Amino acid sequence: MSESAASTKYQAIANDLRQKIATGAFEVGGLLPTKAELMAQYSVALNTVDKALDVLRDLGLIESQQGVGTFVRAKEPVQEADLRTRVHQLETQVAELFELLDQRPPTRRGNEPQ
């Protein structure tokens, strides 16, 4: 398969999944099919499924948890302001976790700028 055809295929898969999320076929909070199931359903390789999921992840529609699966996060793409809010929330949660663990974030070493 040419690079152009592969590119079109993952975009088509992303569009199909996005439509299914928007129409409620995959509910917010619910799991998407596994990568293996998506590979079989669309007759594509893992790399193609990964690229399609990356598109949805970049739009803020899904999030993955290692060992658990990929969850629908939102029906509509997340706006940039929402992303900034989400980043701030995550930073706050990380800081709270460090406090709970009574640890500090690792310090930089070597030639890395501070």
Side-chain angles (χ1 to χ4, degrees):
M1 181 182 301
S2 72
E3 187 175 324
S4 176
S7 172
T8 303
K9 189 68 173 175
Y10 86 81
Q11 290 170 338
I13 294 167
N15 289 339
D16 187 49
L17 293 172
R18 183 176 176 182
Q19 180 182 6
K20 289 177 179 178
I21 290 169
T23 60
F26 297 126
E27 295 182 6
V28 173
L31 280 169
L32 286 182
T34 66
K35 289 180 181 182
E37 291 169 335
L38 292 171
M39 288 168 55
Q41 178 180 344
Y42 293 103
S43 301
V44 295
L46 177 60
N47 188 44
T48 305
V49 169
D50 282 338
K51 284 183 176 183
L53 294 178
D54 285 344
V55 170
L56 299 178
R57 195 173 294 106
D58 290 346
L59 292 171
L61 295 174
I62 64 169
E63 62 184 328
S64 299
Q65 292 182 358
Q66 187 173 355
V68 179
T70 302
F71 294 87
V72 177
R73 185 169 163 246
K75 284 181 105 171
E76 300 289 327
V78 177
Q79 300 298 316
E80 187 175 327
D82 293 336
L83 289 174
R84 278 192 230 121
T85 300
R86 181 72 177 136
V87 167
H88 177 72
Q89 290 171 341
L90 290 171
E91 288 172 340
T92 302
Q93 290 172 341
V94 168
E96 290 170 357
L97 286 172
F98 278 116
E99 285 180 28
L100 287 172
L101 295 171
D102 196 31
Q103 295 180 355
R104 294 192 176 128
T107 58
R108 294 181 176 176
R109 298 176 188 230
N111 296 331
E112 296 178 13
Q114 301 219 5

